[in-house]
Structure formats: structure tokens, C-alpha cells
């Protein structure tokens, strides 16, 4: 079936660092979404992307819809402690259901 | 109002119990979803309701029974569950089941089956 390959699996970051993560697929998608999930909570929608090549920001977060429509990237600038959590990419398939990446876990270095 | 609410937050039940999970949204969304999420995994789709009609059942065992009483409410009835059904159950909604389907999630119900 369709899969999204999300990397990295986890990241150790220091406060103030910039963070990058990405999702790739062998299939073309027309909508890419990025969610963040805190422990014991539901995923929160961060950014939605609808057009190939589109670059969208939400505060310190910036996401891009790849020009090939097979990938997407999320960048977080100047990370802060509350950025820790699991970030999921998701894409809308032809049945309008979400296909999910495995998640990127963001951890703050002590 | 831009949120999806779920009750209860936590639920512990025995394998012979019958319980229900509830979900509510007042965003005027016409598509509602149930997902199951195991630890360290992404959500797995269980059911989709579109305009109050069941449109997708992802081969979910019959011990899970969804219900959509109206456009704002979604229930998941549980009966004779197994310990492996313990998970975080998430409800989500979207404007409709179609293009530009941004799904908004509730906080989830943490279910433990003993």
C-alpha cells in the first residue's frame, strides 16, 4: 500500500537550534499536512499544503510541498522547550483518507 | 468553536463490559472519523461517517460499533473487548470527506482493557 517515509525517526536538539524533517513517497499526493502530537493528546494540525511548490509558514514553522508532489518538508526555527513532541506528516490519498508517516520525535538535550 | 471534544478522557473496562466513547464538534463539519492509536505509532483509521452515514469501515471487528446520532455527535460502542484493544482512541472531523480534507482531532480517550 501507499507509505510515507518520514525522517529522521528522532532528533535531539538544543534550545535555539533550527530543526528540519521530511517526508517522501513513491506516490503523488495533492495535499500534505503536518501534525504535532504531545504525549496522551490528539494530533494538532500545524500546516496544510495544497499546491506543488507551495511554501507556508505558521510562526516559527515553515513547510513546503515538494515540486514533484512526492515529498514535503517541515522546518522549525529557533526551537524552544515546548517544541518537543512527535511530528507526523500525512497526505491525502485518492479516497480522501490520510496516509501517515511514522513520526519524528523531537527531544531537548539536557 | 474550533475544537473536537471527547469523553471520557480515560476508561478502564473488563472484557465483559459494555461502554461507549463520545465525540462532539460544533464546527459544522460533515465528516467524522474514529482512529485507534498504539504507542509510538501513527493513528489507524477505523470508521468514517460522511453526512451522518457510515462511508468507510476499515474491517474493524464487530465488538466496535460506531454511531452518528446527528451531525455534531459521534459515538463508539464497545463490547467484549480484548486486552489488545487497549489504545488511545481519537475522534476527528473535517468539513467534508473530499479535497482539502483538513482533519481536526480531539484529545482522545485512553482505553485500558483488563
Amino acid at each position: 500500500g501507499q507509505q510515507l517515509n518520514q525522517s529522521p525517526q528522532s532528533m535531539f536538539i538544543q534550545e535555539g537550534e533550527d530543526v528540519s524533517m521530511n517526508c517522501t513517497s513513491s506516490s503523488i499526493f495533492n495535499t500534505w499536512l503536518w501534525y504535532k502530537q504531545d504525549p496522551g493528546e490528539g494530533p494538532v494540525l500545524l500546516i496544510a499544503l495544497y499546491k506543488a511548490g507551495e511554501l507556508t509558514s505558521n510562526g516559527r514553522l515553515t513547510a513546503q510541498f515538494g515540486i514533484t508532489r512526492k515529498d514535503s518538508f517541515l522546518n522549525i526555527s529557533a526551537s524552544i522547550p515546548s517544541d518537543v513532541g512527535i511530528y507526523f506528516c500525512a497526505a491525502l490519498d485518492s479516497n480522501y483518507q490520510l496516509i501517515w508517516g511514522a513520526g519524528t520525535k523531537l527531544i531537548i538535550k539536557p | 468553536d474550533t475544537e473536537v471534544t471527547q469523553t471520557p478522557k480515560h476508561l478502564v473496562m473488563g472484557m465483559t463490559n459494555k461502554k461507549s466513547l463520545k465525540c462532539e464538534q460544533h464546527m459544522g463539519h460533515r465528516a467524522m472519523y474514529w482512529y485507534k492509536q498504539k504507542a509510538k505509532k501513527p493513528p489507524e483509521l477505523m470508521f468514517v461517517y460522511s453526512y451522518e452515514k457510515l462511508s468507510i469501515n476499515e474491517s474493524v471487528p464487530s465488538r466496535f460499533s460506531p454511531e452518528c446520532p446527528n451531525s455534531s455527535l459521534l459515538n463508539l460502542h464497545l463490547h467484549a473487548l480484548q486486552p489488545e484493544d487497549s489504545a488511545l482512541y481519537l475522534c476527528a472531523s473535517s468539513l467534508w470527506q473530499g479535497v482539502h480534507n483538513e482533519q481536526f482531532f480531539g484529545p482522545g480517550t485512553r482505553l485500558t482493557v483488563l
Side-chain angles (χ1 to χ4, degrees), chain A residues 13-64:
Chain A
I13 59 170
Q14 287 201 326
E15 188 173 348
E17 284 183 346
D18 294 346
V19 171
S20 291
M21 60 191 78
N22 69 84
C23 256
T24 62
S25 172
S26 58
S27 302
I28 289 173
F29 294 102
N30 293 317
T31 299
W32 286 86
L33 305 170
W34 284 92
Y35 288 88
K36 181 189 180 222
Q37 188 172 24
D38 291 329
E41 297 294 330
V44 173
L45 181 63
L46 299 174
I47 293 179
L49 301 158
Y50 303 113
K51 191 175 174 183
E54 180 182 1
L55 189 70
T56 298
S57 292
N58 177 5
R60 294 178 295 106
L61 276 60
T62 301
Q64 183 159 25

Side-chain angles (χ1 to χ4, degrees), chain B residues 45-66:
Chain B
L45 183 65
M46 299 174 72
F47 302 103
V48 181
Y49 273 83
S50 179
Y51 289 87
E52 297 153 58
K53 288 187 175 10
L54 184 65
S55 67
I56 292 179
N57 175 342
E58 290 286 351
S59 303
V60 179
S62 59
R63 57 186 185 267
F64 295 91
S65 175

Side-chain angles (χ1 to χ4, degrees), chain A residues 89-103:
Chain A
C89 63
L92 206 58
D93 72 10
S94 55
N95 293 317
Y96 307 115
Q97 301 315 315
L98 292 179
I99 308 295
W100 295 81

